[in-house]
Amino acid sequence: MAKRRANGEGNIRKRKDGRWEGRYTAGYHPETGKRIIKNVLGRTQAEIREKLKQAMDLSRQTDILRSEEYTVGSWLTTWYELYAKPNIRVSTAEGYRRNIELHVNPRIGNIKLSKLTGRDLQKLYRDLMENGRLRKEQKKKDPD
């Protein structure tokens, strides 16, 4: 039986015409959220492994460069509007919006997405555990 490739390693197969093909996910469409699949072709399986690795590394570098454009807050707002809100119930969407505006944006919303670390997230979690619930005075105020 053939060895399975792990998630994120792409896909390699032999085509009917005798050439080898490697497929990988190059990113996601910004409006629909669907995967963008690219492929590389070659004569041998070893050649395709190398080409696939290079193409995937280049694709990852491109995503890293784009992450400089976003802060955590702007990315969450974009994610919410484009991907989450159209596909969930109104009450769930309202809960997501409230969590983003009241909890995430004030604490880590201004951090660049490329600079976000596990330590930042751990501080957010700890702060939410200690101070996260809305007090009665805050509940009366409208967050909008």
Side-chain angles (χ1 to χ4, degrees), residues 55-68:
M56 289 174 67
D57 288 343
L58 182 61
S59 177
R60 285 189 194 110
Q61 288 173 358
T62 304
D63 288 340
I64 290 169
L65 294 176
R66 271 203 83 210
S67 67
E68 288 292 329

Side-chain angles (χ1 to χ4, degrees), residues 32-97:
T32 62
K34 292 184 178 181
R35 292 187 315 159
I36 300 171
I37 298 173
K38 302 267 182 162
N39 69 340
V40 291
L41 298 173
R43 292 183 183 170
T44 65
Q45 189 175 11
E47 180 184 350
I48 286 302
R49 279 193 194 121
E50 186 60 35
K51 283 184 175 181
L52 188 60
K53 184 176 183 252
Q54 289 173 356
M56 289 174 67
D57 288 343
L58 182 61
S59 177
R60 285 189 194 110
Q61 288 173 358
T62 304
D63 288 340
I64 290 169
L65 294 176
R66 271 203 83 210
S67 67
E68 288 292 329
E69 299 172 14
Y70 293 106
T71 61
V72 172
S74 64
W75 169 247
L76 279 175
T77 303
T78 301
W79 168 83
Y80 170 75
E81 292 294 331
L82 294 178
Y83 302 116
K85 191 175 177 182
N87 300 314
I88 56 178
R89 289 184 186 166
V90 174
S91 60
T92 304
E94 182 59 25
Y96 284 4
R97 184 196 61 78

